[in-house]
Structure formats: C-alpha cells, structure tokens
C-alpha cells in the first residue's frame, strides 16, 4: 500500500504561482507512475499531469501545458506540481494519485492510490 498526502494549496490571485507537493509513504520502493488530477465543484475529476517512475517522461493536459510542471524527487518520495500563470478556471481540489506501472497513465480509473486533495483557489 501507498499513502499519499498533498500540501501546498491555497488562495492566490490570477497570474500567481503555487507549488503543490505530494508525499508518499508505505511501499514506495516500487516503480510508480504519479499523476495530478483536479475536480472543480459540479464537474468531473480531470487529468492535469503525470510523470513516470524515473521522471524521464511527463504528460500534461492541454489546459495546463506551458504553465504547469510536474516533477519528482524519488529520494524524498515526493512529487511536485509547479503551477504558474494561474487562472480562475484552475480553481479546484487537486489530487495526487499513484499506480504501479512503468508508463504514463492519464485516466483516473488507471490509478490505484489517491490522496485526500488540497484546495487551490485562484481569484480574479
């Protein structure tokens, strides 16, 4: 089992930046692909970004490409989501997820482990 805990959410003005962190504990020695998803009120959970176990491969939703960067530090068992040029439409609860596989996954049902989420609110 893997436990995931997100942090770093908060309130920021449009155009600002936030960095989310996802700390993993438990069986973290295996090869996990990590992803970030978000869910706004009244909307379905949507894919944001993913990174493979080595960090050598990343993938982004079109809506965040060029503004968000996913990275990982396997020595610290932590995944990050650097969010720049934030927009009000980025407002959502952001979730970290993990799946034991070597390749990128972009669908929420592909992930086995989820964090509790962290709220990001972008004011206009």
């Amino acid at each position: 089992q893997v436990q995931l805990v997100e942090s770093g959410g908060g309130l920021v003005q449009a155009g600002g930046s936030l960095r989310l962190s996802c700390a993993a504990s438990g069986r973290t020695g295996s090869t996990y692909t990590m992803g970030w998803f978000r869910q706004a009120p009244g909307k379905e959970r949507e894919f944001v970004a993913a990174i493979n176990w080595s960090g050598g491969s990343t993938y982004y939703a079109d809506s965040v490409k060029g503004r968000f960067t996913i990275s990982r530090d396997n020595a610290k068992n932590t995944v990050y989501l650097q969010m720049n040029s934030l927009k009000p439409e980025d407002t959502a609860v952001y979730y970290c997820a993990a799946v034991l596989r070597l390749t990128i996954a972009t669908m929420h049902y592909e992930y086995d482990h989820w964090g509790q989420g962290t709220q990001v609110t972008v004011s206009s």
Side-chain angles (χ1 to χ4, degrees):
Q1 270 299 55
V2 174
Q3 292 78 44
L4 304 173
V5 179
E6 303 97 334
S7 62
L11 174 64
V12 64
Q13 289 188 332
S17 298
L18 283 174
R19 188 176 82 155
L20 305 183
S21 299
C22 173
S25 61
R27 296 186 62 182
T28 56
S30 302
T31 53
Y32 283 91
T33 279
M34 304 295 294
W36 286 97
F37 289 76
R38 65 187 182 186
Q39 188 166 18
K43 295 188 177 181
E44 294 188 353
R45 191 168 298 190
E46 66 172 351
F47 170 77
V48 175
I51 188 167
N52 75 332
W53 70 277
S54 68
S57 180
T58 58
Y59 192 80
Y60 297 91
D62 287 343
S63 58
V64 307
K65 201 172 296 182
R67 299 188 298 122
F68 291 10
T69 303
I70 188 171
S71 61
R72 67 190 297 163
D73 184 338
N74 286 342
K76 296 182 178 180
N77 294 323
T78 301
V79 176
Y80 305 97
L81 185 68
Q82 177 66 45
M83 306 186 295
N84 298 329
S85 302
L86 282 161
K87 305 175 181 180
E89 51 263 43
D90 294 318
T91 295
V93 177
Y94 283 70
Y95 297 91
C96 175
V99 60
L100 184 60
R101 59 187 275 175
L102 298 177
T103 55
I104 292 288
T106 63
M107 306 303 292
H108 65 87
Y109 54 76
E110 296 180 285
Y111 286 83
D112 301 317
H113 308 283
W114 292 85
Q116 293 300 306
T118 185
Q119 176 70 48
V120 171
T121 303
V122 184
S123 62
S124 57

